[in-house]
Amino acid sequence: MRAVVLHEFGSAENLRYETVPDPVPGPGEVRVSVRAAGVHQIETAMRAGLEIGPPLPRLPAIFGGEVAGVVESTGPDVDEAWIGAEVVTSHGSPGGYAELAVAAVDSLHRIPAGLGHEAAVTMVVTGSTTIGLLDIARLTSDDVVLVTSAAGGIGRLVVQFARRLGATVIGAAGGPAKTAAVRELGADVAVDYDLADWAGTVRDALGGRGVTVVVDGVEGDKGRAAFGLLAEGGRYVTIGAASREEFRPEEAELKERGVRFTDALALLLEGQDRSADEARALAEAADGKLVPAFQTFPLSQAAAAHAALESRATTGKVVLVPDARG
């Protein structure tokens, strides 16, 4: 099969599109013909050799646990009725950056009718993470919610949910195109946080109202500015540091302002079974309650996908799809 392989930690160009042996499903596993593979922000850091999340893989490595496709063969003791099933999993192996991947049958979700492979692979991790995040954030219709990285995979879903709930939503994103995309989602205020005084723009737009909840996926200087917009007694919920610059408020400042800080990503990574959240996310998308956004790249262009994600040039979830065959 063709796959994208990392032989050496470093830049995106180190991802090579090459031929490797087909994976063989073992007991309790199926082999999936990959139609869509999710690309995660943490994978760009791991590819670079940064130890800021999960342990670095042993090289050579094929990234991508998020896999959607069609079951094309089964391992020992697996019902052959699975063959031909449209499935999605968050535990593809050796990785979804490939034409074929194997997965444990008990990790599979059947893709709901009407949901495409790209949407399904977006929802299985990005969507389930959003579901878990929203359970933690406990948004209400009375909240004024500031969402950073609002044009990203998680951010867009949070904006949709908060708007449906009836909350006031401020979506912050980088650049005019992303800001316009956030506005189209229905955010009450859409602001370009690449501009120097974006926080002042938010204050002016709110006309004296304070932000009650920040849902931040960027951290760094932008996270600090978002935190500064919180009213007394507000909640700051972080879901990752796309900037690769951590922001943690000082305990004294939190106490003084009565602000509650929650590292939602840490809570979600504590190892609990996420299959229920995955199923909920897929159902929400199938019902049209949450509409996933994704940007596709051919599998052979995985390096370009990583580079675009790192430079924050993408909108929605980044998804790899098989190259067109000539």
Side-chain angles (χ1 to χ4, degrees):
M1 69 174 181
R2 300 290 280 174
V4 176
V5 184
L6 181 71
H7 292 273
E8 182 180 357
F9 297 118
S11 67
E13 288 72 21
N14 286 10
L15 293 168
R16 301 179 191 170
Y17 185 58
E18 57 191 50
T19 301
V20 301
D22 293 351
V24 178
E29 294 181 332
V30 301
R31 186 163 70 191
V32 178
S33 177
V34 180
R35 305 295 170 81
V39 179
H40 199 282
Q41 183 75 38
I42 194 65
E43 292 168 355
T44 67
M46 294 169 68
R47 184 219 68 233
L50 301 177
E51 300 187 54
I52 61 174
L56 295 179
R58 179 175 297 179
L59 302 181
I62 299 174
F63 285 117
E66 305 162 30
V67 174
V70 181
V71 176
E72 56 96 57
S73 64
T74 60
D77 305 321
V78 176
D79 189 342
E80 291 187 355
W82 276 101
I83 294 176
E86 305 272 349
V87 299
V88 62
T89 178
S90 60
H91 293 90
S93 175
Y97 294 16
E99 293 176 330
L100 298 168
V102 299
V105 72
D106 61 8
S107 77
L108 301 177
H109 298 275
R110 292 183 183 270
I111 298 176
L115 198 64
H117 295 107
E118 296 90 345
V121 87
T122 297
M123 294 305 291
V124 74
V125 171
T126 297
S128 65
T129 300
T130 305
I131 292 290
L133 164 66
L134 292 169
D135 286 347
I136 292 168
R138 297 174 181 263
L139 303 181
T140 73
S141 58
D142 294 328
D143 278 317
V144 178
V145 185
L146 169 59
V147 184
T148 67
S149 193
I154 291 175
R156 292 176 69 100
L157 297 176
V158 173
V159 169
Q160 291 176 49
F161 178 88
R163 285 293 298 140
R164 194 173 80 235
L165 193 64
T168 299
V169 183
I170 305 103
K178 290 187 178 183
T179 305
V182 173
R183 190 173 294 110
E184 289 174 6
L185 287 172
D188 297 280
V189 179
V191 61
D192 182 352
Y193 60 14
D194 285 343
L195 300 179
D197 191 32
W198 71 271
T201 301
V202 172
R203 288 191 183 92
D204 291 344
L206 290 177
R209 296 182 69 191
V211 172
T212 62
V213 185
V214 169
V215 178
D216 180 28
V218 182
E219 296 192 17
D221 290 341
K222 291 181 173 66
R224 160 57 73 179
F227 178 77
L229 289 166
L230 272 172
E232 184 175 341
R235 292 116 68 201
Y236 176 90
V237 184
T238 178
I239 193 62
S243 66
R244 294 187 182 172
E245 297 175 359
E246 186 177 85
F247 165 64
R248 292 291 181 272
E250 297 291 335
E251 286 295 330
E253 186 174 12
L254 291 171
K255 185 175 181 179
E256 179 183 353
R257 295 172 54 192
V259 170
R260 186 166 75 248
F261 170 82
T262 304
D263 186 342
L265 186 60
L267 293 176
L268 294 171
L269 289 176
E270 284 182 347
Q272 67 270 37
D273 181 13
R274 300 297 307 283
S275 59
D277 284 348
E278 292 173 357
R280 284 172 60 196
L282 291 166
E284 291 273 295
D287 291 344
K289 294 178 180 178
L290 293 176
V291 180
F294 49 84
Q295 182 172 344
T296 61
F297 290 79
L299 177 62
S300 62
Q301 299 302 308
H306 267 230
L309 188 55
E310 287 179 296
S311 64
R312 303 185 62 76
T314 59
T315 300
K317 177 74 172 179
V318 175
V319 175
L320 301 178
V321 296
D323 285 66
R325 295 187 180 275

